[in-house]
Amino acid sequence: MSSMSRRTLLRSVAVGGAALSAPALLSACSTSSGDGDVSNAGKKLAPWPAYRPTAKAPKPDLEPTEAGVQAGYTAYPADLTQSVARTPGDGSTVKVMTVSFGVPPKPASANQFWAAVEKALGVKIEYTIVSQADYQKKMATVMAGDADGLPDIINMFSGFVLPREGQFVQRRAEDLTPFLSGEAIADYPNLANIPTHAWRDMGRIGGRIHGIPLERPLPGSTLWINQGTFTDAGMKEGWTSDDFAAVAKQATSGRTYALGAAQGSGFCNGFHSAAHNAPQGWAVSKDGTFLPGYADERYKASIAFRARLRKEGSFYPESTSVSQIDLTTLYYNGTVGSMQDGFGAYLPKYREAPDGMTPAAALPYSVGGTSGGIVAARRSFGYTVLKKAKKERIELLLRILDYLAAPFGSKEWELVHYGVEGTHFTRGKDGSPQPTKLGDVENNTNLPLKYLAEGPQVLFVPGMPDAVRALHAWQQKVVPHAVRNASFGLQSTTNNAKGATLQTLLDDTVTGIVAGRIPLSEWDATVKKWRAGGGDRMAEEFAKDHTANT
């Protein structure tokens, strides 16, 4: 089997996105009564930007659906379009800051990818790149600092709850409503190509639009399996939870385990709780009442099922301590036959799997005769805000983001995603970009422009049309059963103040139960403590904000 470099593994994890349990909630509210009101209740709500899909997009080979199945391309477009009419910049310097899942890039003076993007944008880029591990700490410093010292463009990563985030955005970031709301967004065609679902899941702050979302597909945390391993062990379409357990047990032998899990994932909490059709975080009833998924008996049943799988020996023994990066190594070298990762991880899964291994997204099993669900991801993988500035400066920054949000099939998309032909990539037999050795180092993982702005994602695996067909077929089967977190895009003061601490209480208890250190009977007491500590108050606040947005 092929060996994997740490850089390659970092790239794999980066593409995967949120891979652990329930996606972290974007909370953008004040923490005391003296803070500014960032809720949407009682506010005049700014209209969402008018959605204008690009007319120049290449026709997909596999059609998307209104329900959320992505467009699929089995071949790279032969004729790339031009999505931006003129160079957006004015030669000035633009300071940007984003989260990063890659390694530090080569400096601008020695980075041809960096230079090519600067030339195309017409600006000099001063980039502050923050690793995921340091993001919360760095953002706390930035948010507490002087307004004049802020970068021009800031990526607000939704993977963490940032205390008083909404307040910071409302006070320090430009209100983009006049530039983007309704028909105003027509001045930025690539931003207008971002579907409304991404703006909704980003959410308003105080009724206003303060950011630009990073659109993501509907499927979220996914169980990626080694198809051969699971098929040989008896996997079949339409399997039940008992079938899943039997296959996992059959595929486990010696030092090879059917099921891998990373620290913090709750033993693949997302996949299994959704398969049990448990609400992912929050559900909302017809009367607008918010119901916590953690208090749902289906969620508790999913914990018991994972405990059974662990007790039967199907989980990798170090699942409470192995990192997501190291788990990826174990998946590629065959030590584990599966791992939970974001759906966006499909590209590295197919391109970097060793010879003889066929990755696949697992279908959920049924429980008690009911078809299993999948995790519906937040449709916005964070959002981008702009430092307050004069109208002309904001318009320049929006033009830059409009360029970066170029759609698949455009020359701008190719440059931002692959760099310069002949330098960072060559053409494969199907015309698709194939990274060179330099392209493996100079790219938009290590220089993460894609976390500033990005066009709607599509299904495409260079040179692997069968993989695209398999992914599209999988989405057609599972998208109708996606379980959505009803709190996406909504505001809760209590979640902002206490959400992270309370979530840790729940996560630690789940891990303890599945690992066999805590009895299942302790779950109800934990949920009761969570509700008393702020969970019930969150429900009230989310319900109030939901009503305001309805």
Side-chain angles (χ1 to χ4, degrees), residues 26-27 41 105 115 208 220 230 243 250 252 256 266 290 308 312 344 365 368 414 424 442 455 486:
L26 172 61
S27 177
R208 310 291 285 176
F230 273 66
D243 293 333
Q250 179 66 28
T252 299
T256 300
F290 266 61
R308 169 189 169 185
E312 290 176 351
Y365 48 78
E414 184 174 88
H424 300 102
E442 297 182 4

Side-chain angles (χ1 to χ4, degrees), residues 256-388:
T256 300
Y257 302 88
L259 309 177
Q263 180 182 19
S265 74
F267 290 85
C268 304
N269 175 69
F271 174 78
H272 291 291
S273 61
H276 281 73
N277 286 294
Q280 296 301 294
W282 295 93
V284 59
S285 65
K286 291 182 179 179
D287 66 359
T289 301
F290 266 61
L291 307 170
Y294 309 110
D296 193 294
E297 285 300 313
R298 291 169 294 184
Y299 189 85
K300 184 178 179 180
S302 79
I303 302 174
F305 182 67
R306 280 172 274 160
R308 169 189 169 185
L309 295 172
R310 196 275 314 164
K311 189 174 182 179
E312 290 176 351
S314 298
F315 270 110
Y316 180 65
E318 305 301 321
S319 291
T320 58
S321 59
V322 67
S323 70
Q324 187 74 5
I325 292 174
D326 290 338
L327 179 62
T328 303
T329 301
L330 297 172
Y331 176 69
Y332 284 135
N333 70 24
T335 300
V336 299
S338 66
M339 63 177 291
Q340 181 176 280
D341 207 344
F343 178 77
Y346 76 81
L347 187 58
K349 290 289 185 294
Y350 282 96
R351 298 199 70 183
E352 298 167 1
D355 294 340
M357 176 183 180
T358 302
L363 291 168
Y365 48 78
S366 63
V367 180
T370 302
S371 297
I374 65 162
V375 175
R378 178 189 293 280
R379 305 302 299 275
S380 173
F381 188 70
Y383 59 104
T384 296
V385 300
L386 307 180
K387 175 184 175 180
K388 287 188 176 182

Side-chain angles (χ1 to χ4, degrees), residues 207-538:
R208 310 291 285 176
I209 298 171
H210 283 82
I212 295 170
L214 299 169
E215 192 268 354
R216 287 296 183 268
L218 180 65
S221 294
T222 300
L223 188 69
W224 291 99
I225 60 174
N226 182 329
Q227 190 167 32
T229 297
F230 273 66
T231 299
D232 291 345
M235 179 183 68
K236 58 184 179 180
E237 188 167 342
W239 56 356
T240 66
S241 55
D242 286 338
D243 293 333
F244 181 94
V247 168
K249 192 172 183 178
Q250 179 66 28
T252 299
S253 178
R255 295 186 178 182
T256 300
Y257 302 88
L259 309 177
Q263 180 182 19
S265 74
F267 290 85
C268 304
N269 175 69
F271 174 78
H272 291 291
S273 61
H276 281 73
N277 286 294
Q280 296 301 294
W282 295 93
V284 59
S285 65
K286 291 182 179 179
D287 66 359
T289 301
F290 266 61
L291 307 170
Y294 309 110
D296 193 294
E297 285 300 313
R298 291 169 294 184
Y299 189 85
K300 184 178 179 180
S302 79
I303 302 174
F305 182 67
R306 280 172 274 160
R308 169 189 169 185
L309 295 172
R310 196 275 314 164
K311 189 174 182 179
E312 290 176 351
S314 298
F315 270 110
Y316 180 65
E318 305 301 321
S319 291
T320 58
S321 59
V322 67
S323 70
Q324 187 74 5
I325 292 174
D326 290 338
L327 179 62
T328 303
T329 301
L330 297 172
Y331 176 69
Y332 284 135
N333 70 24
T335 300
V336 299
S338 66
M339 63 177 291
Q340 181 176 280
D341 207 344
F343 178 77
Y346 76 81
L347 187 58
K349 290 289 185 294
Y350 282 96
R351 298 199 70 183
E352 298 167 1
D355 294 340
M357 176 183 180
T358 302
L363 291 168
Y365 48 78
S366 63
V367 180
T370 302
S371 297
I374 65 162
V375 175
R378 178 189 293 280
R379 305 302 299 275
S380 173
F381 188 70
Y383 59 104
T384 296
V385 300
L386 307 180
K387 175 184 175 180
K388 287 188 176 182
K390 293 182 179 180
K391 178 175 181 289
E392 293 75 15
R393 180 67 172 176
I394 296 300
E395 290 173 339
L396 179 146
L397 298 176
L398 288 173
R399 290 197 301 271
I400 290 171
L401 295 177
D402 185 69
Y403 186 106
L404 297 178
F408 175 79
S410 67
K411 296 177 182 178
E412 295 85 1
W413 183 93
E414 184 174 88
L415 172 66
V416 173
H417 285 78
Y418 285 97
V420 179
E421 183 175 2
T423 300
H424 300 102
F425 72 89
T426 57
R427 301 282 178 189
K429 292 182 180 180
D430 64 348
S432 60
Q434 303 291 328
T436 62
K437 289 184 178 180
L438 184 62
D440 282 335
V441 177
E442 297 182 4
N443 52 49
N444 75 349
T445 294
N446 298 336
L447 188 71
L449 298 161
K450 58 187 174 182
Y451 298 135
L452 295 173
E454 190 172 33
Q457 296 192 345
V458 300
L459 291 173
F460 176 65
V461 184
M464 298 185 186
D466 287 343
V468 176
R469 294 186 186 99
L471 291 168
H472 191 268
W474 178 83
Q475 285 196 1
Q476 289 180 310
K477 293 173 183 176
V478 302
V479 160
H481 304 288
V483 185
R484 174 180 163 81
N485 186 332
S487 74
F488 286 159
L490 302 180
Q491 313 296 348
S492 163
T493 300
T494 303
N495 182 62
N496 183 71
K498 301 180 178 181
T501 300
L502 289 171
Q503 188 65 49
T504 298
L505 169 68
L506 295 168
D507 292 346
D508 287 350
T509 304
V510 169
T511 299
I513 292 171
V514 179
R517 299 191 300 267
I518 301 174
L520 181 64
S521 58
E522 287 295 311
W523 180 246
D524 291 342
T526 298
V527 172
K528 184 177 181 179
K529 184 176 180 180
W530 173 84
R531 297 184 74 152
D536 285 344
R537 182 60 181 164
M538 289 182 212

